[in-house]
């Protein structure tokens, strides 16, 4: 039987974290979770949103002549007709512009939720306050 040496009397090393806990989550994965949480919260209130695809892109695409140079969108609604045949409505949230505007995780979560609510309101043809009564509150 091989003898293992424990030089400093501390015992054998164990795992750094339990198996059910992720060791690290990237900023991109954390942002995806924020968007998913906001979408899930709204889907409970508006069941028709289960047909809508929520997506995250790093930055908005540069389309010459379509947007003002001073305004960077935080999100966009892509209607089913615009996306092509057989596709569903899609709400895209742009990660980098949101991260730049929000410094803390709580601010980021609030901003992501507000952007998702605004895009859902545009899709449903309602005001953001009707989509989520807590819209605009801190």
């Amino acid at each position: 039987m091989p003898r293992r040496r424990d030089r400093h009397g501390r015992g054998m090393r164990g795992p750094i974290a339990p198996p059910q806990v992720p060791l690290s989550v990237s900023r991109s994965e954390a942002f995806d979770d924020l968007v998913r949480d906001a979408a899930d919260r709204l889907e409970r209130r508006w069941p028709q949103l289960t047909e809508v695809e929520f997506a995250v892109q790093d930055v908005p695409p540069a389309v010459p002549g379509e947007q003002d140079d001073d305004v960077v969108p935080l999100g966009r609604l892509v209607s089913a007709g615009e996306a092509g045949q057989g596709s569903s409505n899609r709400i895209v949230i742009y990660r980098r512009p949101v991260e730049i505007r929000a410094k803390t995780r709580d601010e980021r979560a609030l901003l992501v939720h507000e952007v998702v609510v605004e895009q859902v309101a545009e899709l449903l043809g309602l005001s953001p306050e009707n989509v989520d009564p807590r819209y605009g509150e801190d």
Side-chain angles (χ1 to χ4, degrees), residues 6 17 22 32 45 57 63 78-79 86 89 95 100 102 104 106 132:
D6 182 13
D32 291 347
R45 183 175 167 97
Q57 288 183 354
V63 180
V78 180
S79 64
N89 290 320
R95 183 175 66 87
I100 288 170
T104 66
D106 292 337
D132 185 8

Side-chain angles (χ1 to χ4, degrees), residues 3 13 31 37-38 41 46 59 62 65 69 71 77 98 112-113 129 132:
R3 184 166 185 226
R13 285 185 152 170
F31 192 85
D37 290 344
R41 192 165 128 194
W46 301 94
V59 293
D69 291 335
V71 178
L77 170 64
V98 170
V112 165
H113 180 70
E129 293 81 13
D132 185 8

Side-chain angles (χ1 to χ4, degrees), residues 31-90:
F31 192 85
D32 291 347
D33 289 342
L34 292 175
V35 172
R36 194 172 308 113
D37 290 344
D40 289 345
R41 192 165 128 194
L42 291 175
E43 283 176 1
R44 284 191 293 273
R45 183 175 167 97
W46 301 94
Q48 63 265 40
L49 293 180
T50 56
E51 306 295 322
V52 177
E53 179 183 348
F54 291 87
V56 175
Q57 288 183 354
D58 282 343
V59 293
V63 180
E66 183 178 295
Q67 61 189 18
D68 187 10
D69 291 335
D70 296 338
V71 178
V72 176
L74 301 178
R76 179 173 181 225
L77 170 64
V78 180
S79 64
E82 187 179 334
Q85 276 187 318
S87 64
S88 60
N89 290 320
R90 175 186 236 195

Side-chain angles (χ1 to χ4, degrees), residues 97-111:
V98 170
E99 286 180 339
I100 288 170
R101 285 172 179 77
K103 302 300 179 202
T104 66
R105 178 171 168 76
D106 292 337
E107 287 178 7
R108 194 172 306 123
L110 182 63
L111 185 56

